[in-house]
Amino acid sequence: MPNTWGGRRARAGRKPGPRPCVLHRGRPEHVARHPTHITLRARAGLPSLRAPNLCAVIERAIAAANRSDGRVVHYSVQGDHVHLIIEAHDERALSSAVRRVAIRVALAVNRLLARRGPVWGDRYHRRDLTTPREVRNALVYVLCNARKHGRPVADLDPCSSARWFDGWRRRPGADA
C-alpha cells in the first residue's frame, strides 16, 4: 500500500504569486527608549491617500488612535503608503498602537470611499531607531518624504506632521 500522507506531491504547497513586500518573520523585541519607524503600504487600486479629503480623515484617525502607552509622534501620508514614528512603552503597546492606527485609518478610508475590504496590502515594515542619528534621519525622512517622492511642496508638507514640528534648524522651503 503506497504512503499517501505527507512528503513531496505534485502541485502541493503554496502556489507561486506576488512576493510580499514584508516577509513574515519574527520581529525584534521593542525597547521603550527607542522610537520606531513604521511604514504601512496601501493596496493597489486605491486612490491617492494624499487627496485632501482622504488626508484629512487619515490625520483624524491617527490622532484618535493615540493612547498613553503608545502614540504616533510624527507621520507622513504619501500616495500609496503612510510613514509613522511611534513611541511605545513595550512590545505589546507598540503592537497595539500600530494595530489601532491601521484599523482606524482603514475604517475611515473605507467609510469615505464607500467601499469594503482591506486597505493595507501587506504587513507593516518596522525599524527601531536606536541612536540619536537614526532618530534624526528618520525625522527628516518622514517629515520631508513628499520631496523624496517628487511631489511639489512649496513649504511644509500639508499631509504630514511637519507643520507642528518645532525642531527645524532651517524650515524647509524657506529662502537661504
Side-chain angles (χ1 to χ4, degrees), residues 123-143:
R123 299 177 79 210
Y124 65 88
H125 178 265
R126 169 183 156 189
R127 177 175 169 83
D128 292 331
L129 309 172
T130 58
T131 66
R133 167 85 49 191
E134 284 182 338
V135 173
R136 182 215 177 267
N137 290 345
L139 282 170
V140 169
Y141 182 82
V142 169
L143 298 178

Side-chain angles (χ1 to χ4, degrees), residues 4 45 59 64 95 107-108 121 133 147 156:
T4 59
E59 285 180 339
S95 176
L107 289 172
R133 167 85 49 191
R147 293 178 196 275
L156 298 176

Side-chain angles (χ1 to χ4, degrees), residues 45-98:
L46 287 174
S48 173
L49 300 177
R50 287 182 65 85
N53 55 351
L54 270 177
C55 189
V57 299
I58 291 171
E59 285 180 339
R60 286 193 297 273
I62 289 171
N66 284 336
R67 301 280 184 273
S68 62
D69 64 339
R71 65 192 184 109
V72 176
V73 291
H74 290 290
Y75 67 89
S76 173
V77 179
Q78 299 305 314
D80 64 348
H81 62 282
V82 176
H83 291 285
L84 308 166
I85 295 183
I86 296 180
E87 292 177 348
H89 293 306
D90 55 23
E91 182 70 30
R92 191 172 185 184
L94 176 65
S95 176
S96 179
V98 174

